[in-house]
Amino acid sequence: MILVTAGVAIAVVLTNVLWRPARNVITIVHEAGHALVAVLAGRRLAGIRLHSDTSGVTVSRGRPHGPGMVCTALAGYVAPSLLGLGFAALLGADRVSALLVTCAVLLFAVLVMIRNVYGVLSVVTTGAILFGVSWFATEEIQAAFAYLITWFLLLGGVRPIMELQSKRRRGQARDSDADQLARLTGAPGFFWVSSFALINLGALFVAAGWLLIP
């Protein structure tokens, strides 16, 4: 089951027709990462918007510079992979129910802060799928779903970084998280893209070890 769900996740991430709708899940977690760190850094969260092109934006109020703003900007691209790493730890401890509950809490917290119709539709649709599996599926299917979610977060956290750098090369992402971090810190945008990639690939490597090695 572990290998099959990994294969399905790889197929979803690498196949454009499947990746397009599935990427909305990555965007939800990406924006949730921004929102959570903004709150922890003492910023005031104003709202989250999710768009039909699978982009999103989280608006928070506070100092426009400093460590809190840097951490908030840094959190988005690494959030899916770090959440996947946490889910891998839960699966290693045979805590499937805790994983599904965590997903539900995350979706509810994001839904409360959504400020546009498409965002509500995206989160509610994701939540409906989660509810259906959690409420009606057998324990075996729930476990398979939990592994699929985990693999998808780990693998799906890597592809947006490659897409980001591709857009940056074409000059189409001047307000990306990496470029915001460049303006905040003085370190070049490519440094931050590389940092995202190293963190997410590291999370994938560690989690794969936990999931695949008995």
Side-chain angles (χ1 to χ4, degrees):
M1 178 180 66
I2 297 172
L3 293 175
V4 170
T5 52
V8 172
I10 291 171
V12 171
V13 172
L14 295 181
T15 307
N16 288 335
V17 69
L18 299 175
W19 171 245
R20 175 79 181 192
R23 196 186 192 285
N24 285 288
V25 175
I26 299 297
T27 303
I28 291 171
V29 179
H30 178 116
E31 300 306 330
H34 283 313
L36 175 61
V37 174
V39 171
L40 293 177
R43 300 179 62 81
R44 187 159 64 88
L45 190 60
I48 297 172
R49 290 179 176 269
L50 305 174
H51 304 136
S52 58
D53 63 354
T54 72
S55 66
V57 62
T58 297
V59 179
S60 62
R61 296 191 174 92
R63 292 181 60 191
H65 49 77
M69 188 61 199
V70 171
C71 291
T72 299
L74 177 62
Y77 275 98
V78 301
S81 293
L82 293 181
L83 183 62
L85 181 64
F87 283 179
L90 288 176
L91 291 175
D94 198 24
R95 300 294 299 276
V96 172
S97 296
L99 187 154
L100 297 177
V101 169
T102 301
C103 289
V105 171
L106 170 66
L107 288 172
F108 179 77
V110 172
L111 180 61
V112 170
M113 296 308 303
I114 291 292
R115 296 294 183 265
N116 67 323
V117 174
Y118 181 82
V120 171
L121 178 62
S122 180
V123 174
V124 169
T125 300
T126 305
I129 295 171
L130 177 66
F131 174 79
V133 173
S134 302
W135 194 258
F136 299 108
T138 64
E139 291 183 0
E140 291 77 10
I141 294 177
Q142 289 180 10
F145 185 69
Y147 275 100
L148 179 59
I149 291 172
T150 301
W151 283 119
F152 177 68
L153 289 172
L154 291 166
L155 294 162
V158 175
R159 177 165 173 173
I161 298 171
M162 296 185 291
E163 294 173 342
L164 168 63
Q165 185 56 25
S166 177
K167 289 181 179 179
R168 292 185 71 251
R169 283 199 302 267
R170 299 194 300 269
Q172 297 176 352
R174 299 185 184 280
D175 290 323
S176 70
D177 293 350
D179 292 282
Q180 290 183 44
L181 285 164
R183 291 191 289 269
L184 287 167
T185 65
F190 183 72
F191 168 82
W192 293 107
V193 175
S194 300
S195 298
F196 298 156
L198 287 173
I199 292 170
N200 289 9
L201 289 172
L204 173 59
F205 178 79
V206 172
W210 291 347
L211 295 172
L212 296 175
I213 299 175

